[in-house]
Amino acid sequence: MKRIFTWGSFALIVVLIVWGMIAAANKAERESAGVASVDQVTATDWIKGATSSPVTIIEYSDFQCPACAAYFPLIEKLIAENTNVRFVYRHFPLQQHNNAMPASRATEAAGNQGKFWEMYSMIFETQPEWESVSDAKAVFSGYAQKIGLDMTKYATDVESKEVDEAINADIKSGIKSGVNSTPTFYVNGKKINNPREYEEFKKIIDDAATTAANS
Amino acid sequence: MKNLRKLLTTPLQLQQIPKWVPVVILAIALIGFADATYLTIEHYQNEIPPCTIGGCESVLTSQYAQVAGIPVSLLGALNYLIIVTLLFLYLDTKKEIFLRVPVLLSVFGAVASIGFMYIMIFVIKAFCPYCVVSAATSLSIFAVSLWLVLKSRNLSQQVQG
């Protein structure tokens, strides 16, 4: 009788805990429903290109990743030469890149003064210059000055909690969508294999535009 | 080191152990099990648990959060589940071995916890409350176990002496 009681409570406790934790996890998931998804552009996203275009590219990227910097001119060309596409940049700074987070912060702080994309370009273009410096923050402050930001505001913003939260929201949405490397591109909500060259990327965009037009 | 081994391989003096001790270890292990299970479920749902303080993202997505593709939280959950199961076996059969194995396991738990806390504080430099809870339960189990071993050893020396 005692044995039945002992093992009955064992089973009950373990089942209750697992069940309770699944319930808690599901509750957390519902609460995080506000996390941006890969098929939706949100009001807080950084968008470049025509606002009402049939094709949306969302990139999860890390300013310190060499491949991300390699895609930078390609993306610029895509936006410049194609009117059917808009581009969304989301932060996904990787742990092993010490200067990626400060870079993201710098762009967000510049974004507060309407110069996100200026800082974005500057940081990608100069990646080799700051990727291994110990004080990347100072380098980015220099860039902030160069693009004509209000430096008092920049200094406050770059360390602010809001900037932190904006970046973390991007990271969260990336994790939720299963992003595990950078750059990861989504075209109209679908993850694509990273194209090796411009023409390949353009074809993906054009195909997506055709599909969007036919649906 | 030799002393430590002796300490751990000497059978515990069951008759001297207060009845509440295994129950306390069991209760702490259940807290640890709940915590680690939660993190494991979140991991497989590609979710990051809500953290009002700290940087759960940085910790739970870092390269240290997995060992050979297995999330550390899953290893933790299994560790706690084994401890819980053995303690129930002990409560059922009162066989000394079912208490001594969790005591031994608690050493690994404590070492792993200290290691992960070190990585969290000094390498990742972020704070993950869920991970701290797990470290606290592991270290508490170790502390109670250590007390148990020392007490039992003193008693056995008294008996022998």
Side-chain angles (χ1 to χ4, degrees), chain A residues 18-87:
Chain A
V18 173
W19 177 78
M21 291 305 120
I22 290 176
N26 286 341
K27 184 167 172 280
E29 189 177 13
R30 278 197 302 277
E31 276 165 10
S32 70
V35 170
S37 67
V38 288
D39 48 15
Q40 253 175 337
V41 176
T42 70
T44 50
D45 273 327
W46 298 108
I47 308 165
K48 202 173 186 177
T51 42
S52 60
S53 41
V55 182
T56 304
I57 306 172
I58 297 180
E59 179 187 11
Y60 285 91
S61 173
D62 168 322
F63 282 111
Q64 202 182 334
C65 109
C68 303
Y71 274 102
F72 162 72
L74 216 138
I75 293 288
E76 290 295 293
K77 194 174 167 193
L78 267 181
I79 306 164
E81 295 183 3
N82 299 277
T83 50
N84 58 356
V85 65
R86 64 178 170 170
F87 172 69

Side-chain angles (χ1 to χ4, degrees), chain A:
Chain A
M1 190 58 205
K2 188 168 171 279
R3 301 200 69 174
I4 295 175
F5 177 74
T6 307
W7 291 105
S9 11
F10 170 78
L12 191 66
I13 291 174
V14 170
V15 168
L16 273 181
I17 287 181
V18 173
W19 177 78
M21 291 305 120
I22 290 176
N26 286 341
K27 184 167 172 280
E29 189 177 13
R30 278 197 302 277
E31 276 165 10
S32 70
V35 170
S37 67
V38 288
D39 48 15
Q40 253 175 337
V41 176
T42 70
T44 50
D45 273 327
W46 298 108
I47 308 165
K48 202 173 186 177
T51 42
S52 60
S53 41
V55 182
T56 304
I57 306 172
I58 297 180
E59 179 187 11
Y60 285 91
S61 173
D62 168 322
F63 282 111
Q64 202 182 334
C65 109
C68 303
Y71 274 102
F72 162 72
L74 216 138
I75 293 288
E76 290 295 293
K77 194 174 167 193
L78 267 181
I79 306 164
E81 295 183 3
N82 299 277
T83 50
N84 58 356
V85 65
R86 64 178 170 170
F87 172 69
V88 171
Y89 184 87
R90 287 183 185 161
H91 304 279
F92 204 77
L94 300 174
Q95 207 69 58
Q96 65 266 34
H97 291 153
N98 286 336
N99 292 337
M101 193 67 183
S104 285
R105 285 168 170 283
T107 54
E108 284 290 326
N112 284 352
Q113 298 183 44
K115 292 198 170 169
F116 176 88
W117 295 107
E118 285 83 346
M119 186 61 100
Y120 158 94
S121 303
M122 197 123 189
I123 283 180
F124 266 141
E125 280 161 2
T126 59
Q127 193 192 61
E129 291 166 31
W130 54 262
E131 62 184 349
S132 52
V133 302
S134 57
D135 192 8
K137 276 187 204 173
V139 178
F140 302 142
S141 289
Y143 296 170
Q145 208 144 25
K146 233 183 237 177
I147 59 176
L149 296 184
D150 170 350
M151 289 310 287
T152 326
K153 183 169 164 52
Y154 174 82
T156 325
D157 285 357
V158 84
E159 302 290 345
S160 73
K161 204 168 159 242
E162 288 71 29
V163 158
D164 233 11
E165 280 166 4
I167 298 165
N168 281 335
D170 281 358
I171 298 173
K172 263 186 200 167
S173 86
I175 292 166
K176 195 179 159 70
S177 314
V179 173
N180 55 15
S181 62
T182 54
T184 297
F185 293 100
Y186 290 87
V187 172
N188 283 356
K190 281 200 194 79
K191 187 174 172 174
I192 60 164
N193 291 325
N194 288 356
R196 276 154 302 180
E197 45 168 29
Y198 178 80
E199 288 308 320
E200 200 179 326
F201 213 148
K202 184 171 162 44
K203 188 174 180 308
I204 294 173
I205 302 303
D206 290 340
D207 288 350
T210 320
T211 314
N214 293 338
S215 64

